């Protein structure tokens, strides 16, 4: 909001205009404002050339309502801006909105829950062992087995983690990863951590069916059966399993209107008002595809399970309808994909105060969501594995040696030595190229894929890792050995087919003139 206002105020030319025999200084026509702002939005990386002139007019209406601009008589507060010749000007007061500033301190580290404080009545055998710096004497005791001495030791059972403890671990590690992916010093800029429900995260991660759709514990929060039937009808068109085949023209448009009306009546968007700033902050990562996908994966884990399930079903239906060539057009003037985005973007993402750049931001996010919905709306496997490993570590039985205030899970001290720059560069190159070379060899030796798919995979590999590919195939001849050209044998041409059939000699008479 602030960025667009600053660009608009700096780039909008103002001059003297006459209206009804009177001159007005430093003002501009409405149509000139539309031209200028439309050009600014089109060249801005957060919006792009897909911004339409109508959307620009809607944004200027928001500007007039929020006193970013005013008419030449000082009137504002209504959304009656039109693309015409009326005169407007900038108010003397600043229209910029206040935005939370980044904390002046260093990067905030989200703390994990601490369960090292013993409960009342807990025996000494179950008190978690505190880790300390290991000295030479402790090192000797830890490794005395190697020289034939076995010091006294005992097993230390860590305190059992409750379901609440595990849920808090999930919340802490999930928010920590989200902060890192977004590249923020603190999530306080975009999110109130107190509003994040740890139970929702765990339910979204584990309560899923074979298709990856969330299963709800409270069945009363499920979508109505008639809406599910309507969505399945359009998503699987023309194979409508729950409904009979349509018997009148325009049936599919009536079904689509029913779905749109149901989602329009929701009081809150599926991504919720609380997480609006989180999802908007992901828009800056869209050029970095993998980071944007991961950020949206984690952000969607924070949603209430019923919202996540409805989002999964709705976006999957939108994506299928957009590519279904058997489905008749749902609009005479708008392409099906554009219609999907326009119809459902507002019920997926919008802010509570319904100002700013809601429509433009929602269109951009929903378009990216439709193109990558299978990845985004699945549980991030790397995050899930790291959290599960951490929980297992906390529950693992430890060994405590007599006279040592540490546990056996501590790794032994490691020592390092300085290496030359050439050796470092060599290790860095070989360390990253060896796995890639193994992957390339696996593609080459794979006999289960067709030759066409193998060529396609190798082309992708060559584009991504040209150096590794060049080492394996230094010359085109070596590459050609992998794909020998098949010599097509032409059918033998029969000699008799080339000869004309025997024709008897006919004697002709000559006529002398």
């Amino acid at each position: 909001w602030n960025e667009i206002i600053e660009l608009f105020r700096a780039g909008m030319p103002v001059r003297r205009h006459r209206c009804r025999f009177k001159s007005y200084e430093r003002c501009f026509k409405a149509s000139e404002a539309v031209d200028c702002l439309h050009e600014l939005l089109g060249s801005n990386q957060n919006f792009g050339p897909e911004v339409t002139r109508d959307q620009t007019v809607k944004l200027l209406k928001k500007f007039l309502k929020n006193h970013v601009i005013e008419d030449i008589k000082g009137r504002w507060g209504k959304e009656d801006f039109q693309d015409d010749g009326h005169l407007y000007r900038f108010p003397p007061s600043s229209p910029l909105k206040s935005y939370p500033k980044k904390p002046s301190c260093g990067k905030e580290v989200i703390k994990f829950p601490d369960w090292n404080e013993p409960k009342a009545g807990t025996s000494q055998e179950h008190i978690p062992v505190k880790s300390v710096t290991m000295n030479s004497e402790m090192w000797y005791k830890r490794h005395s087995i190697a020289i034939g001495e076995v010091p006294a030791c005992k097993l230390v059972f860590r305190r059992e983690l409750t379901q609440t403890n595990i849920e808090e671990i999930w919340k802490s590690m999930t928010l920590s990863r989200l902060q890192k992916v977004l590249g923020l010093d603190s999530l306080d800029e975009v999110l109130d951590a107190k509003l994040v429900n740890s139970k929702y995260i765990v339910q979204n991660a584990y309560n899923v069916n074979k298709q990856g759709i969330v299963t709800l514990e409270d069945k009363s929060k499920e979508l109505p059966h008639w809406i599910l039937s309507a969505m399945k009808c359009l998503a699987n068109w023309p194979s409508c399993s729950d409904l009979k085949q349509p018997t009148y023209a325009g049936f599919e448009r009536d079904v689509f209107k029913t779905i749109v009306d149901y989602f329009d009546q929701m009081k809150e968007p599926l991504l919720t008002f609380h997480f609006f700033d989180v999802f908007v902050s992901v828009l800056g990562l869209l050029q970095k595809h993998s980071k944007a996908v991961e950020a949206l994966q984690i952000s969607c884990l924070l949603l209430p399970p019923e919202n996540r399930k409805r989002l999964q079903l709705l976006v999957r239906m939108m994506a299928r309808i957009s590519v279904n060539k058997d489905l008749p057009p749902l609009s005479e003037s708008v392409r099906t994909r554009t219609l999907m985005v326009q119809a459902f973007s507002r019920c997926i993402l919008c802010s509570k105060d319904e100002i700013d750049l809601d429509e433009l931001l929602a269109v951009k996010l929903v378009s990216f969501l439709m193109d990558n919905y299978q990845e985004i709306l699945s549980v991030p496997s790397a995050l899930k594995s790291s959290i599960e490993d951490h929980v297992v570590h906390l529950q693992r039985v430890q060994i405590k040696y007599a006279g040592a205030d540490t546990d056996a899970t501590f790794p032994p001290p490691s020592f390092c030595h300085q290496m030359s720059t050439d050796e470092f560069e060599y290790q860095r190159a070989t360390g990253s190229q060896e796995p890639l070379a193994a992957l390339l060899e696996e593609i080459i030796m794979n006999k289960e894929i067709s030759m066409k798919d193998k060529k396609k995979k190798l082309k992708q590999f060559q584009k991504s890792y040209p150096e590794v590919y060049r080492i394996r195939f230094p010359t085109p001849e070596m590459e050609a050995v992998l794909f020998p050209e098949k010599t097509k044998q032409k059918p033998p041409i029969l000699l008799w087919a080339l000869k004309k059939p025997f024709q008897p000699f006919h004697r002709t008479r000559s006529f002398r003139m």
Side-chain angles (χ1 to χ4, degrees), residues 443 449 452-462:
I443 298 174
I449 60 176
K452 181 179 179 181
D453 292 338
K454 183 177 292 188
K455 287 183 178 179
K456 184 178 179 181
K457 289 180 179 295
L458 289 176
K459 285 292 183 184
Q460 293 175 346
F461 190 97
Q462 184 182 15

Side-chain angles (χ1 to χ4, degrees), residues 124-125 129 138 140-145 149-157 397-409:
Q124 294 295 322
E125 297 291 325
V129 179
M138 294 162 61
Y140 174 81
K141 291 180 178 179
R142 284 278 303 274
H143 296 77
S144 57
I145 297 177
E149 299 178 11
V150 182
C153 62
K154 59 180 179 180
L155 293 179
V156 177
F157 297 88
V397 176
Q398 310 298 334
I399 299 176
K400 181 180 179 183
Y401 291 92
D405 190 17
T406 186
D407 56 51
T409 59

Side-chain angles (χ1 to χ4, degrees), residues 458-499:
L458 289 176
K459 285 292 183 184
Q460 293 175 346
F461 190 97
Q462 184 182 15
K463 185 178 180 180
S464 302
Y465 310 105
E467 293 295 333
V468 180
Y469 192 87
R470 192 180 300 112
I471 294 174
R472 179 62 175 82
F473 299 106
T475 61
E477 290 76 13
M478 295 188 66
E479 187 178 9
V481 174
L482 188 61
F483 304 107
E485 295 185 1
K486 296 182 179 180
T487 56
K488 296 182 180 180
Q489 295 183 353
K490 297 182 179 180
I493 302 177
L494 300 178
L495 293 177
W496 59 269
L498 298 176
K499 295 181 179 180

